[in-house]
Every structure is written in structure tokens, then in C-alpha cells.
Amino acid sequence: MAAGYGDGRVTIGHTMVGRVAVTNVTAVPALGPRIRFGLSWTLGHLIRSREGNRQDEYHLIDFGGELRVGADDLFVGQLVRDGSRHPLRSLGYVDTQDGSVALDLGRHRLERLEECRAGGVPTMKMQLWPRIEMGGATTDARVEEIRIQIPRDDWVAAVGALTGDQIDLLEIRYHLMYADRYRSSIAVLGRARDAVDRGDFDAAVVQARKAVSLMEESVKAATGDGLKAALTDRIDKRHADLYGGIVKRAKDMGNITAHRAEAREYTRVEALFAIRLATITLEVIAGLLAE
């Protein structure tokens, strides 16, 4: 049986009867962030050696559990069985049976998980609670704690696909007429978020700065004027100066990293701030200059 991200023994009483492996992680379409952990169960009959190796069949009726993370075993959330609810039965030969558990994540929990990961490989602890019945009675069944390590690319793909993630991050409304003009800036903001997921926070800040600079270039190409002049044509000078100052500050963090060798390394929260500031800046400028 392949261990996948990690696996653990299934026991009834003191007897090992099989194993369960965590095989994949995917995003689940839902109103809020929800991820699914695929499980692969290998369940053999309970062999009673004191009774002439008698083999007793049993059924895995249900299972759930919880997920923890970090050296302090921080509780993440409850795992609930999803998908098919059919019982899994023990077999007299080696074969696997699929199942899965789902974890609901609010925005706060997702951000905390990403803080713990800090751009690295997610390492978690999964505890599953099985309900196994044999002969109509519930057995003393257990699954040992499973330590799982999820390849970073798998985790990033799942998190990136969660409902609403990209909408919350990139608030540029693609359906608006002006959005296409700033498509290069939007693409660079996507690369900035990818840099955060890799743990390269300085690169994320630099990419956020680049997105704002590309926006300024797009304005000049479309209007023939610099940003401040283009804004002054649309709104009063006082507000044009205000928004011009915001644009400057949206670039300043990246300027420090790009041009000063002594600059300290940015943290994840600062990188996310730079991306969100650049995103909001792009949206307001694009909206003000929309034709």
C-alpha cells in the first residue's frame, strides 16, 4: 500500500487489521473554503489466531476526525466524512477502498495555516475516529495518528482553487470595460501571490511594485499623459495629488527591496499588504480613468 502523504495502522482491540493512507488534497466547491483529503483504506479480516486463524469479516460504517498543525499541535478543525456513505468491508485479500474527509476553513483559519506553513511544505497531524461493526456490534477500533506532509505544489493548487480566493485577492472586475487595459498588471499581481505561496516575500513585494509601474505605463500609453495629469483631467487637483501619493507609496516598499542592499527581509503579512495595496490602487485608478 502506497503511503501517499502519510499513513497509519487500523486496529481492532490489539490486532492490526489494515492501514489507511492520505493520498491527495483538493478544493471542494462550496460557499466557504473547504478542502478534501482523499483516503485509501486497506482492510483485512480480523484473524483470531487463538481460534485456529478464524477470519471474521467486519464493516467500516463511518469515520471522522480532526486536524492539527505545528509543534504545539494547534487545532485546525474537524474532519467529516464526505462523498459516498456506503460502509467499507474487510476483505480476505489485499485491495484498497477509497474514502475521503472534508475540512471547512474560514478565511481566518486559512490565513493562519498559511502563516504556519510560511511558504514551506505543509506538515500536519490527522487523527481519524473509525466506527467499525462486526456481527452487529461496535468494536474497539482505532487509527493511529497520521503525520502527513503535503507536497507544496499540491497544497498551493488546492488553496488557489478555493472558492472566492482569487476574487478576494484580486478585486479587479474582469467584466468591466477598462480591465483589459491593465491585464499585464493583473498578471504580475498573480505572480506576486505565487511568490508568497513559495515563501519568497521580498519577490512578492517587488512584483507588487512592478504591477503598479505597469499600470502607470498603461495610463500613459492610453492618454499620452503621466498619471497625475491624466487624473487631473478627470477629477480635481487635490484628489489627483492624493491618489498620486497613494501610487507612490504603493511602489515604495518594492523600491526599498530593489535598490537598497541593506534592506531587511519582508514578512508574509507585509508581502500580502503590498499586494493588496497594489490591487486596490490599480482598481481605483482604473475606475477613475475608465472611458
Side-chain angles (χ1 to χ4, degrees):
M1 175 181 182
Y5 299 159
D7 71 336
R9 295 176 297 177
V10 181
T11 60
I12 296 177
H14 298 293
T15 304
M16 176 179 169
V17 296
R19 302 190 76 88
V20 56
V22 183
T23 57
N24 58 70
V25 60
T26 55
V28 181
L31 291 177
R34 172 178 258 215
I35 56 176
R36 173 182 294 132
F37 293 95
L39 303 176
S40 179
W41 298 83
T42 303
L43 303 172
H45 294 330
L46 175 60
I47 300 176
R48 301 184 186 274
S49 57
R50 293 183 179 180
E51 301 178 30
N53 289 331
R54 191 186 87 205
Q55 298 187 25
D56 289 340
E57 183 178 353
Y58 57 85
H59 292 84
L60 176 60
I61 304 299
D62 200 6
F63 49 86
E66 64 183 32
L67 195 71
R68 296 184 179 273
V69 67
D72 296 328
D73 285 347
L74 297 176
F75 176 78
V76 178
Q78 297 283 350
L79 299 167
V80 296
R81 186 181 184 184
D82 71 343
S84 172
R85 294 285 176 171
H86 292 298
L88 306 182
R89 64 187 183 90
S90 63
L91 302 171
Y93 51 88
V94 177
D95 198 4
T96 58
Q97 301 174 76
D98 294 332
S100 60
V101 287
L103 172 69
D104 288 314
L105 291 168
R107 174 63 55 189
H108 178 67
R109 282 186 183 178
L110 181 57
E111 284 298 317
R112 288 295 305 275
L113 268 178
E114 287 296 271
E115 288 173 7
C116 290
R117 185 174 70 87
V121 175
T123 301
M124 307 176 186
K125 296 176 183 178
M126 178 184 291
Q127 185 65 65
L128 294 174
W129 305 313
R131 182 162 71 90
I132 291 178
E133 292 185 359
M134 187 167 56
T138 300
T139 66
D140 178 21
R142 302 175 186 273
V143 174
E144 70 178 340
E145 181 181 81
I146 304 173
R147 294 176 179 266
I148 57 178
Q149 282 195 324
I150 303 172
R152 188 172 60 187
D153 289 348
D154 292 359
W155 178 255
V156 170
V159 171
L162 288 174
T163 300
D165 183 62
Q166 293 302 316
I167 294 174
D168 288 345
L169 174 65
L170 304 179
E171 296 182 354
I172 305 302
R173 307 299 192 249
Y174 283 91
H175 64 279
L176 294 181
M177 292 177 61
Y178 61 77
D180 195 62
R181 180 184 298 171
Y182 307 100
R183 191 165 298 277
S184 59
S185 292
I186 295 170
V188 170
L189 285 173
R191 291 198 288 273
R193 181 60 200 234
D194 290 341
V196 171
D197 291 334
R198 296 194 307 270
D200 194 348
F201 306 133
D202 283 359
V205 172
V206 171
Q207 291 291 326
R209 166 184 173 270
K210 182 178 179 181
V212 177
S213 296
L214 286 173
M215 178 268 292
E216 290 182 291
E217 294 174 9
S218 297
V219 169
K220 188 168 186 178
T223 66
D225 292 323
L227 178 62
K228 187 174 179 180
L231 286 172
T232 303
D233 286 344
R234 294 295 184 93
I235 58 178
D236 60 276
K237 183 179 182 301
R238 183 177 180 181
H239 282 89
D241 289 341
L242 172 66
Y243 290 124
I246 293 173
V247 169
K248 180 180 182 300
R249 283 162 178 75
K251 296 192 298 181
D252 279 348
M253 289 178 67
N255 288 337
I256 293 172
T257 296
H259 302 303
R260 296 185 184 178
E262 74 279 8
R264 67 178 179 82
E265 294 182 354
Y266 282 116
T267 63
R268 181 176 182 274
V269 68
E270 289 174 301
L272 289 175
F273 168 76
I275 293 171
R276 288 164 180 158
L277 179 59
T279 300
I280 294 169
T281 301
L282 175 56
E283 184 171 30
V284 69
I285 297 300
L288 289 171
L289 297 180
E291 296 177 356

